[in-house]
Amino acid sequence: MKMLEINNLQVNYGPVIAVKKVDLFVNQGETVVLLGANGAGKSSTLLSIAGVANKLLGKVKFSGKDITKFSPEKILTLGIATVPENRDIFPDLSVKENLVLGGYINRKKNNILQDTIEEVYNLFPILSERNSQVAGTLSGGEQQMLAIGRALMSKPKILLLDEPSLGLAPTIVEKIYEHIEQLKKDTNLTILLVEQHAMKALSIADRVYFLRLGEIVSSGKASDLKEKTDFKKIYFGE
Amino acid sequence: MFLQYIVDVLSLGSLYALFALGLVLVYGILKLVNFAYGELVLVIGYSIFLLKGSPFPWFFMAGTAILMSILFSIFTDYVAFRPVREKSVTAVLITSFAFATLLQNAALLLISAKPKNVPMPSFLSDSVQFLGVITPVRNLISIFVTFLCLIIFYQFMKRSTLGLAMRAAATNFNMTRMLGIPANLVITSAFAMSGLLAGIAGTLWMSKIANVFPGVGLEPLLIAFIATVIGGMRSVHGAVLGGFILAFIDMSFNYLLPQDILKFRDVFTFSIVILILLIRPQGLVKGPATGIRT
């Protein structure tokens, strides 16, 4: 069943067209990866699903419903949570406070809020140790975990994950991906992942789309593409 | 003498700090200065003036005036900010000035250009004497009310979910929305709290000047603006600190300058302000790592 579907998406920032034409879909329970070089339009695609980028053309559908014109807050309540590229945790708030805000839509249901915080702490035990620490003082890897944990607080149906490997040391990237795999196993969460780090992303993906200069240039099963695809062409052009 | 000076600085500074805090609350979230902010004092003054002669006790009048201030602050958002918020900084600058002018002219047209007396309970002007300090009761009330407001404000921003959401929105508005926190709720709350703080400060201000006229909002706006610029526009601590520093500068010149130069006090005050900004253009307190409005 198609959970998320994007048709003919075009995104622009003023005169600059960031996404020319993107068609993709994500089935329930799948992990789909959007690969591409810097500036290919990956993040813009993700942000337009989340409702914060300017959509010029095209349609975004979630569970069959047209959500193209929905506000970011409305989109979150439907079950789409975003971990943006720069993690965008709130540096002046504590770890706990960041998580509490992530669970904003459940703020009135205290027991759900508490349980979800427990779940996040189980997934990322380091966050529970840092509970009352100001988030800005966390290491890069910990901030990434916090950003993911914060997104999970809304109990999403699909997680939009933008470059979790960005700016992190290889061993930390390894760890983050272990956590993501654990998360998939535990919850069967649907994930749309954006990465530059192709090999890492392919290792957890079911299907892949390649994005180049704002357009999808190829797609397929992750297991097939891993061997066949000429990555150089995707990243550096012909 | 020294204690007298401290009390004077604190009582003036507490007013300045409240005014500045109300202005910076909206700025922090929208990254836009509300130039109609001073008109909340006009609303306060005329509300109490219009209730004069009503059978209600003074505290009820003041409460109604503060409520009006909150409503007008929210109203400012609806007429001057919301329609053009997405468009450009210049547009909002103009609309908020326009709204201020509109209110001033409404007062001019419907009431009078002449200052109108705003009734105040007489005990506020009574002098008290302690430890060699002679000061009107209203100064002590200003200090007390302000510190009470600051404590409640800080607790609210620290403990309540809405307070946390407002702090988060001041750092990264879009991210806050992506967590499902409605943009309009955060913005309306900011305007409402801005109106409440300006309302309380405005009432205390009225107890000092005791009359209201169409241009009454200019001075509080200027005070709030300069205090936030000194303190740092991105931080609520900065606004409070800036308010007290501005009062400290003002009051020091009151004490130091000879009588015939005193009327040029603002020249000296602004020279100091320029000096502070030359050394620390970003203001004294560095706020959270926020971006500027794009």
Side-chain angles (χ1 to χ4, degrees):
Chain A
M1 194 201 121
K2 280 181 194 172
M3 184 181 236
L4 181 72
E5 201 180 347
I6 301 170
N7 292 317
N8 201 19
L9 180 76
Q10 188 176 328
V11 181
N12 70 319
Y13 298 103
V16 182
I17 294 178
V19 176
K20 231 184 275 170
K21 186 179 183 306
V22 167
D23 293 273
L24 64 81
F25 65 90
V26 183
N27 289 324
Q28 182 144 21
E30 253 189 334
T31 298
V32 172
V33 178
L34 202 51
L35 288 177
N38 238 339
K42 307 182 300 292
S43 296
S44 298
T45 303
L46 222 57
L47 289 179
S48 71
I49 300 170
V52 292
N54 245 339
K55 290 174 275 263
L56 195 64
L57 283 172
K59 251 196 176 75
V60 182
K61 277 203 231 165
F62 183 68
S63 305
K65 198 176 187 177
D66 186 353
I67 61 162
T68 317
K69 297 257 184 290
F70 282 20
S71 67
E73 44 267 47
K74 183 83 195 285
I75 289 170
L76 184 280
T77 53
L78 292 175
I80 304 177
T82 312
V83 180
E85 188 173 9
N86 308 314
R87 327 196 221 289
D88 286 345
I89 51 142
F90 303 116
D92 307 309
L93 305 186
S94 74
V95 169
K96 176 88 180 281
E97 288 167 338
N98 268 276
L99 293 178
V100 167
L101 285 182
Y104 182 82
I105 57 167
N106 292 322
R107 70 196 176 283
K108 300 252 163 69
K109 301 162 208 147
N110 222 330
N111 48 336
I112 295 184
L113 197 66
Q114 284 311 319
D115 289 353
T116 325
I117 289 181
E118 279 313 307
E119 283 167 31
V120 171
Y121 282 163
N122 281 335
L123 186 66
F124 304 113
I126 188 78
L127 292 184
S128 121
E129 285 168 40
R130 303 265 187 264
N131 183 42
S132 53
Q133 196 173 320
V134 175
T137 62
L138 298 179
S139 71
E142 289 163 355
Q143 292 192 6
Q144 185 63 60
M145 292 177 202
L146 178 58
I148 296 173
R150 185 182 60 183
L152 294 175
M153 286 299 297
S154 63
K155 298 204 155 284
K157 298 187 180 110
I158 182 168
L159 189 64
L160 310 180
L161 201 49
D162 197 348
E163 286 203 47
S165 68
L166 189 78
L168 299 179
T171 51
I172 308 293
V173 174
E174 205 66 42
K175 221 185 215 160
I176 297 279
Y177 270 88
E178 271 168 31
H179 283 304
I180 297 172
E181 260 179 290
Q182 185 67 40
L183 180 68
K184 276 180 56 175
K185 221 185 289 162
D186 292 353
T187 60
N188 198 29
L189 186 65
T190 311
I191 298 175
L192 177 57
L193 174 67
V194 157
E195 262 296 1
Q196 285 195 64
H197 200 310
M199 293 323 270
K200 201 68 241 169
L202 283 173
S203 69
I204 65 160
D206 299 309
R207 280 188 308 113
V208 187
Y209 290 92
F210 287 100
L211 201 56
R212 203 167 97 75
L213 301 175
E215 279 179 284
I216 301 276
V217 288
S218 81
S219 64
K221 277 203 169 129
S223 46
D224 298 348
L225 279 161
K226 223 167 162 178
E227 297 105 48
K228 271 193 285 181
T229 310
D230 186 356
F231 285 106
K232 262 194 203 151
K233 210 166 104 186
I234 302 295
Y235 281 92
F236 303 111
E238 316 283 334
Chain B
M1 179 70 179
F2 180 70
L3 203 59
Q4 177 81 48
Y5 171 70
I6 296 286
V7 170
D8 286 346
V9 169
L10 281 181
S11 65
L12 191 65
S14 58
L15 280 181
Y16 287 8
L18 278 189
F19 275 132
L21 191 56
L23 186 69
V24 90
L25 258 179
V26 169
Y27 180 84
I29 286 168
L30 292 179
K31 311 286 179 262
L32 293 167
V33 176
N34 174 13
F35 284 104
Y37 181 67
E39 293 348 296
L40 296 174
V41 178
L42 175 145
V43 168
I44 285 282
Y46 283 114
S47 296
I48 301 178
F49 164 73
L50 290 173
L51 286 167
K52 187 159 72 172
S54 66
F56 306 114
W58 182 83
F59 280 102
F60 179 84
M61 293 196 266
T64 312
I66 291 172
L67 191 67
M68 291 300 287
S69 168
I70 296 173
L71 292 178
F72 262 86
S73 187
I74 296 172
F75 188 55
T76 309
D77 175 34
Y78 276 88
V79 298
F81 283 72
R82 207 161 283 207
V84 290
R85 203 163 64 206
E86 311 286 322
K87 307 243 160 55
S88 78
V89 181
T90 333
V92 181
L93 185 85
I94 292 167
T95 50
S96 71
F97 264 125
F99 185 60
T101 312
L102 205 74
L103 286 179
Q104 287 167 19
N105 282 286
L108 201 64
L109 202 67
L110 300 174
I111 300 168
S112 165
K114 291 200 196 97
K116 292 287 179 191
N117 180 261
V118 175
M120 284 292 151
S122 59
F123 77 89
L124 287 178
S125 316
D126 292 347
S127 283
V128 283
Q129 191 170 1
F130 61 95
L131 304 168
V133 180
I134 304 169
T135 189
V137 173
R138 61 163 183 270
N139 280 1
L140 299 180
I141 290 180
S142 292
I143 298 173
F144 175 74
V145 168
T146 298
F147 279 89
L148 197 66
C149 285
L150 290 180
I151 291 168
I152 295 171
F153 174 80
Y154 279 116
Q155 288 302 316
F156 171 80
M157 293 306 260
K158 227 178 120 142
R159 308 222 181 267
S160 74
T161 310
L162 182 59
L164 288 179
M166 288 173 74
R167 284 165 65 197
T171 320
N172 190 334
F173 195 50
N174 270 342
M175 188 62 234
T176 319
R177 299 184 70 187
M178 280 196 271
L179 296 179
I181 301 164
N184 286 337
L185 170 76
V186 171
I187 293 170
T188 305
S189 309
F191 272 98
M193 282 171 69
S194 170
L196 174 65
L197 292 166
I200 294 168
T203 309
L204 295 168
W205 185 256
M206 277 301 145
S207 76
K208 232 167 96 103
I209 63 174
N211 60 53
V212 60
F213 48 95
V216 74
L218 184 64
E219 201 181 342
L221 173 68
L222 208 58
I223 288 167
F225 189 64
I226 292 166
T228 49
V229 168
I230 297 176
M233 297 209 67
R234 292 174 180 183
S235 129
V236 291
H237 314 296
V240 173
L241 182 70
F244 281 104
I245 289 177
L246 184 61
F248 166 74
I249 298 170
D250 266 356
M251 199 48 82
S252 302
F253 283 128
N254 273 358
Y255 274 70
L256 292 172
L257 293 176
Q259 203 51 245
D260 45 341
I261 307 182
L262 199 56
K263 58 179 175 234
F264 302 114
R265 187 192 69 188
D266 286 353
V267 176
F268 293 90
T269 301
F270 290 139
S271 308
I272 301 277
V273 171
I274 291 169
L275 212 63
I276 293 176
L277 290 181
L278 280 175
I279 300 164
R280 275 190 78 91
Q282 72 276 44
L284 294 170
V285 179
K286 202 168 134 277
T290 57
I292 50 166
R293 193 187 137 96
T294 48

